[in-house]
Amino acid sequence: MTKLLFKDLTLAAHPTMYVFVLLGCLVIVPSYPLTVIFMFGCLAQYITLTYSRETNDNWFTAVLPVTKREVVRARFLLAALAQTVQLFVSVPFAALRCMLNIPNNAVGIDANVAWYGIGFIIFAVFDLVFFPVYYRTGYKSGKAFILAMIPVVIMMAASEAASHFPALSFLDSTAPCDLVRQIPLLITGIVIYAAAMFTACRISENRFEKVDL
């Protein structure tokens, strides 16, 4: 599995994936809809799988001495690595944002603990839809991306709008007491992400095994 992941990192991953991973730094931009950063993390998976289709990577990997299930697992490891690294990249910039006393985001939610929890949930929803749909055929990445982005866009809009409601204003705060109140959302997001990735991987494995390459 380690060798398969290395193969995906060096051969299958489209170069733009690494660029999108670094876009976690955009949290420092004032008055920017920060949930758009998660969209880049989703877009990276779409571009990578489309690139794999055009280079016939699925067929190439399948003829190696590995199972189809292992091929899918390696791709899920790649996705999880890219998405979590993107969030980790954003951490120092979110801290710097607070140190520079940049005003709270007027567009919507700020870069805080709740934002990271929402990010994990958005990635979970995207992966749970995108990968199972894609691995039903192994090449229809466009259809999978469109279907996955419908709930993602709705969640992005809802997350940005939620901070404007007085009862949920603590989600848009970086005050220490409010950050503590946001921790349950972060924990919930991590649990949902882990469960969604496990479920999506199992579904994708079962579907890809039936695909005639």
Side-chain angles (χ1 to χ4, degrees), residues 21 24 81-93 116 120:
V21 165
L81 182 64
Q83 291 168 347
T84 53
V85 169
Q86 184 189 49
L87 294 178
F88 277 114
V89 166
S90 69
V91 171
F93 293 95
Y116 286 95
F120 277 113

Side-chain angles (χ1 to χ4, degrees), residues 46-63:
Y46 162 67
I47 293 177
T48 290
L49 288 185
T50 302
Y51 178 67
S52 296
R53 180 192 66 194
E54 298 306 314
T55 57
N56 218 8
D57 179 72
N58 281 336
W59 181 86
F60 168 75
T61 309
V63 298

Side-chain angles (χ1 to χ4, degrees), residues 1-13:
M1 191 55 61
T2 302
K3 292 181 179 179
L4 269 179
L5 177 59
F6 180 74
K7 189 276 295 180
D8 281 351
L9 284 169
T10 54
L11 296 177

